[in-house]
Amino acid sequence: QVQVVESGGGLVQAGGSLRLSCAASGSIVSINRVDWYRQAPGKQRELIASILRTGVTNSAGSVKGRFTISRDSAKNTVYLQMNSLKPEDTAVYYCNADVQEVGRVSLIDYWGQGTQVTVSS
C-alpha cells in the first residue's frame, strides 16, 4: 500500500510564494512520474507540472516561469515552488504519483487528498 500526502498550502497575498510538498510512502520500488494538478471552484482539474523518473520536467503555459517542480528522490518527495502568485492561482492542488510497488508488475496511480492554496489580491 502507498500513501501520497500533499502539504504546504495556505493563504498568501498576490506576488507571494508558497512551496508545496508531495510525499509518497509505503511499499515503493520506484516512482515513474509525479504530476501536480489544480482545481479551482467550478473548473476542471488542470495539469500544471510533471516530473519523470529521469528528471525531465514539464509545466503548463499558465505557470511557466513562475512555478518550478523538483524532487528529493531519497525522500520520495516532489516539490512545487510557486512564485509570483496571482489570485487566479487559487485552487485545490493535488499530487498524482505513478508508482511501482513491491510485488506488483504494473504501475499504480495514487492521488493525495489535496491542499488548498488561496491567493488574495
Side-chain angles (χ1 to χ4, degrees):
Q1 189 69 16
V2 172
Q3 296 79 39
V4 174
V5 178
E6 302 99 334
S7 62
L11 173 64
V12 64
Q13 289 188 332
S17 298
L18 283 174
R19 189 177 81 156
L20 305 184
S21 298
C22 170
S25 62
S27 303
I28 298 170
V29 173
S30 63
I31 299 176
N32 187 60
R33 175 189 178 117
V34 175
D35 298 318
W36 279 102
Y37 289 80
R38 68 184 179 186
Q39 188 165 20
K43 295 189 177 181
Q44 288 189 326
R45 192 169 293 192
E46 173 191 17
L47 174 62
I48 57 170
S50 302
I51 186 165
L52 305 183
R53 187 175 59 182
T54 57
V56 173
T57 63
N58 196 14
S59 58
S62 57
V63 305
K64 199 176 290 286
R66 300 188 299 123
F67 292 10
T68 302
I69 188 169
S70 64
R71 69 181 178 188
D72 183 336
S73 298
K75 295 182 179 179
N76 284 333
T77 299
V78 170
Y79 305 99
L80 186 68
Q81 178 66 43
M82 306 187 296
N83 299 328
S84 302
L85 283 160
K86 305 175 182 179
E88 51 263 44
D89 294 318
T90 295
V92 179
Y93 285 69
Y94 297 92
C95 172
N96 177 269
D98 197 29
V99 177
Q100 176 74 60
E101 289 183 76
V102 174
R104 290 180 181 266
V105 174
S106 58
L107 298 172
I108 306 293
D109 268 355
Y110 287 93
W111 288 91
Q113 81 289 351
T115 186
Q116 176 70 47
V117 171
T118 303
V119 184
S120 63
S121 56

